[in-house]
Amino acid sequence: MNDNEERPVTIITGRVWREPGESSEGVHVMLVAPDDDTAVRLALEALAQEGYAEAELDQIGEMIGAPDEEPHLSAWQGATEGEIAIVTFEEPA
């Protein structure tokens, strides 16, 4: 990869808990990182800063292009600008 090429946005999916034993929330973390290990470390640090006590990360991958709908579109845009974007949602029962 050349220095002038943009790195792809990494997405990490899983679930998070604010307090152990509480109900979990689904989570998608989007960021740009040089490798998977760094992406996971940065994601866990960002989740901890947002007050999540526990996280269980399931999958990691690269996004091809921008998503079509909010809130993921804004999260993707933030990630391309260097932010670590966290999208949480209620998990289906």
Side-chain angles (χ1 to χ4, degrees), residues 8 49 59 83 92:
Q49 287 180 342
Q59 294 183 342
E83 298 175 11

Side-chain angles (χ1 to χ4, degrees), residues 9 18 22 38-39 47 50 52-53 55 58 66 79:
V9 172
R18 290 234 179 241
E22 287 188 355
T38 302
L47 289 166
E50 290 297 316
Y52 292 99
D58 297 327

Side-chain angles (χ1 to χ4, degrees), residues 1-10 32-35 62:
M1 180 176 289
N2 295 332
D3 288 341
N4 60 352
E5 288 183 41
E6 287 188 29
R7 293 180 189 243
V9 172
T10 299
V32 174
D35 56 60
E62 293 180 355

Side-chain angles (χ1 to χ4, degrees), residues 9-59:
V9 172
T10 299
I11 182 168
I12 302 172
T13 65
R15 64 196 54 69
V16 290
W17 293 262
R18 290 234 179 241
E19 296 291 331
E22 287 188 355
S23 297
S24 65
E25 297 176 75
V27 68
H28 293 164
V29 181
M30 295 181 209
L31 67 152
V32 174
D35 56 60
D36 288 354
D37 289 340
T38 302
V40 169
R41 181 179 51 78
L42 292 172
L44 290 172
E45 289 173 0
L47 289 166
Q49 287 180 342
E50 290 297 316
Y52 292 99
E54 294 183 20
E56 182 179 293
L57 305 178
D58 297 327
Q59 294 183 342

